[in-house]
Amino acid sequence: MSENKAASRYAKSLIDLSTERNALEEIKGDMVLLAQVIDKNPELEAILKNPIVPLNKKAGILENVFGPKVNEVTNAFFKLMVNKGRSAILFDTAKSFVAQYNSIKGIVLAEVTSATELTAENRAEIEAIVKREIGANQVVIKEKVSDKLIGGFILKVGDKQFDASIASGLSKLKKEFAQGIV
């Protein structure tokens, strides 16, 4: 079984357990925290993935970093993952948990890369379009600014991408000229 499949299954089990315990929102916050901490501290991920580091050391590190900050179910989950030798997939499990949570709640992540920072009006328009086209309850917009775009934007939702950038238009035009279409 691949690590992503295993992470997905552990995430699903944790969602089921946290729903059963009426702690889904709190544990979702814990998984977001775990993902953020590991993302900002690659050393922690390296320790969790290192088979040479003793399990009790890994459990102790997680307890020291997260202990009182997270739900008791989350702490028990961390201990279970470490004791089963699955600490290497904790980061993937946290990301999978958030993705599954978002899917359940109808929350869609839209990545927007634009030439300049989006205005509140731009954000609202993009959100409305994504809600209408995808049927989402909520849209979370992740913004990036790229000076390579000249103008316009690139919108990515899941595996779909809409490119309304000037750079893309110029590139297409250049190809058409090269092929003698224009």
Side-chain angles (χ1 to χ4, degrees):
M1 173 170 30
S2 77
E3 286 189 1
N4 278 345
K5 278 187 178 176
S8 179
R9 288 184 179 161
Y10 279 112
K12 172 74 173 108
S13 296
L14 185 57
I15 282 176
D16 292 345
L17 179 62
S18 57
T19 301
E20 186 181 300
R21 299 268 175 104
N22 291 324
L24 181 61
E25 297 301 321
E26 189 178 350
I27 293 174
K28 181 252 183 184
D30 295 346
M31 292 299 109
V32 168
L33 176 65
L34 174 66
Q36 288 172 341
V37 169
I38 291 176
D39 195 39
K40 289 179 182 161
N41 299 289
E43 311 83 36
L44 178 57
E45 185 177 20
I47 289 168
L48 293 173
K49 286 185 173 186
N50 190 333
I52 297 171
V53 177
L55 299 181
N56 62 342
K57 290 261 192 213
K58 291 178 184 183
I61 289 168
L62 288 171
E63 176 64 33
N64 287 336
V65 173
F66 298 103
K69 296 177 192 156
V70 297
N71 185 291
E72 64 189 40
V73 172
T74 305
N75 274 323
F77 179 72
F78 289 165
K79 288 177 183 143
L80 173 80
M81 292 291 282
V82 169
N83 290 336
K84 288 202 171 269
R86 303 301 257 159
S87 62
I89 63 168
L90 265 173
F91 187 38
D92 287 340
T93 302
K95 291 187 290 187
S96 182
F97 182 100
V98 173
Q100 289 178 40
Y101 171 91
N102 287 346
S103 179
I104 290 167
K105 297 289 186 178
I107 300 169
V108 173
L109 177 65
E111 293 180 31
V112 180
T113 305
S114 57
T116 59
E117 202 169 305
L118 295 177
T119 64
E121 191 177 288
N122 296 141
R123 254 182 245 104
E125 193 175 331
I126 290 169
E127 190 174 322
I129 290 168
V130 172
K131 279 184 178 179
R132 183 180 66 238
E133 296 298 320
I134 307 289
N137 295 330
Q138 183 183 346
V139 178
V140 176
I141 297 176
K142 184 178 175 184
E143 297 179 46
K144 288 187 219 168
V145 175
S146 173
D147 56 357
K148 295 176 184 172
L149 291 185
I150 304 168
F153 65 93
I154 299 170
L155 171 63
K156 216 172 139 183
V157 179
D159 60 353
K160 294 181 176 104
Q161 181 170 308
F162 174 72
D163 191 339
S165 66
I166 292 173
S168 173
L170 290 173
S171 177
K172 285 179 193 169
L173 193 59
K174 184 178 174 183
K175 284 179 188 171
E176 288 174 4
F177 272 122
Q179 293 174 349
I181 296 172
V182 177

